[in-house]
Amino acid sequence: MPRGKTAGKAPCKPARQLLFPEALRQQKHPAPADSPLPSHDTMSDNTQGASMDRIMQEISAVGRKLEAAVESQVVLQTNRDQELLYLRSKLTDLEDRSRRNNVRFLGFPEGIEGTDILSYLRDTLPELADITFDPPLEFQRAHRLGLKRQNGQDRPRPIIACFLWHGQVRQLLQLSRRQGQLRLGPLEIRLSADFSKETAD
């Protein structure tokens, strides 16, 4: 029988394989090399980068909210301005309507009307305009505009008369537009409608 062999027995494995079977398997199928662990500096940089991203996102969100709030306030203020302009326009229109029967007379010397300005206008205006009014002139009120002049040489204050009939106002104003000014003896009298300050400006 040859040396080193035993009849009926399986051949023996080398001692190296018996002692290190796992090591041999790992040599045949080596495990993949693990990825290198990130350094402390790399982890710190990543954390700081993520924190900065969150901060920037929060700042952007706050900015959008502020922008929306500002736009809302601008729209609200614009609406208020438009409403204020509308109300002023309506107020001016109402004021002009309330004055539509008023006429301003400029050029009558101070005191010429005496103590009864309505009677003076009723007697003087037909002669001034060279018109016979039908119906006769009627007034709701009349007065000098402003404080009485202390010096008689100063420019006389205008007279404002509120007529009862708008047709008579229209007659006088049309006549004044055609002639520019009306004469009463040596006096030169100018007439104008009594508009509100906003309309007159």
Side-chain angles (χ1 to χ4, degrees), residues 26 29-35:
Q26 289 179 359
H29 306 285
D34 292 337
S35 300

Side-chain angles (χ1 to χ4, degrees), residues 5-198:
K5 292 184 179 180
T6 304
K9 291 185 180 180
C12 295
K13 295 182 179 181
R16 181 181 181 88
Q17 293 183 4
L18 291 175
L19 294 175
F20 306 105
E22 186 65 27
L24 293 175
R25 283 198 298 271
Q26 289 179 359
Q27 288 179 359
K28 293 180 179 179
H29 306 285
D34 292 337
S35 300
L37 294 175
S39 66
H40 178 74
D41 292 340
T42 303
M43 294 176 64
S44 177
D45 291 344
N46 291 340
T47 303
Q48 291 179 358
S51 298
M52 288 301 298
D53 288 343
R54 286 195 299 272
I55 292 172
M56 293 304 297
Q57 290 174 0
E58 292 175 1
I59 292 175
S60 298
V62 172
R64 287 193 296 270
K65 290 181 180 179
L66 289 175
E67 184 178 358
V70 170
E71 290 179 355
S72 177
Q73 288 298 318
V74 169
V75 170
L76 182 61
Q77 186 62 45
T78 301
N79 291 339
R80 287 176 177 173
D81 291 343
Q82 291 176 348
E83 183 179 3
L84 182 60
L85 288 175
Y86 173 76
L87 292 176
R88 284 179 176 174
S89 175
K90 292 292 291 184
L91 182 61
T92 300
D93 181 64
L94 289 173
E95 186 176 356
D96 286 337
R97 287 178 182 273
S98 70
R99 298 182 178 206
R100 66 192 301 266
N101 283 359
N102 289 4
V103 177
R104 290 187 180 220
F105 298 92
L106 184 61
F108 285 114
E110 290 276 346
I112 195 173
E113 68 275 15
T115 58
D116 189 352
I117 191 171
L118 293 179
S119 295
Y120 177 78
L121 291 175
R122 190 179 298 112
D123 296 338
T124 302
L125 291 184
E127 180 183 355
L128 176 67
D130 195 19
I131 296 175
T132 300
F133 291 97
D134 186 21
L137 290 174
E138 292 292 339
F139 303 93
Q140 296 183 21
R141 58 190 175 275
H143 64 277
R144 291 272 185 180
L145 183 63
L147 298 175
K148 187 175 181 178
R149 303 284 194 262
Q150 297 298 325
N151 186 349
Q153 301 300 319
D154 292 338
R155 185 177 181 181
R157 295 170 296 162
I159 293 176
I160 296 182
C162 179
F163 288 71
L164 184 62
W165 309 109
H166 182 68
Q168 294 174 344
V169 173
R170 192 166 55 247
Q171 268 185 296
L172 285 170
L173 293 179
Q174 287 175 350
L175 181 64
S176 176
R177 281 194 292 268
R178 287 197 302 267
Q179 299 186 15
Q181 63 185 15
L182 306 179
R183 298 192 65 87
L184 182 66
L187 301 177
E188 295 180 353
I189 309 299
R190 294 184 179 275
L191 284 66
S192 67
D194 183 35
F195 291 118
S196 63
K197 184 178 183 300
E198 288 76 10

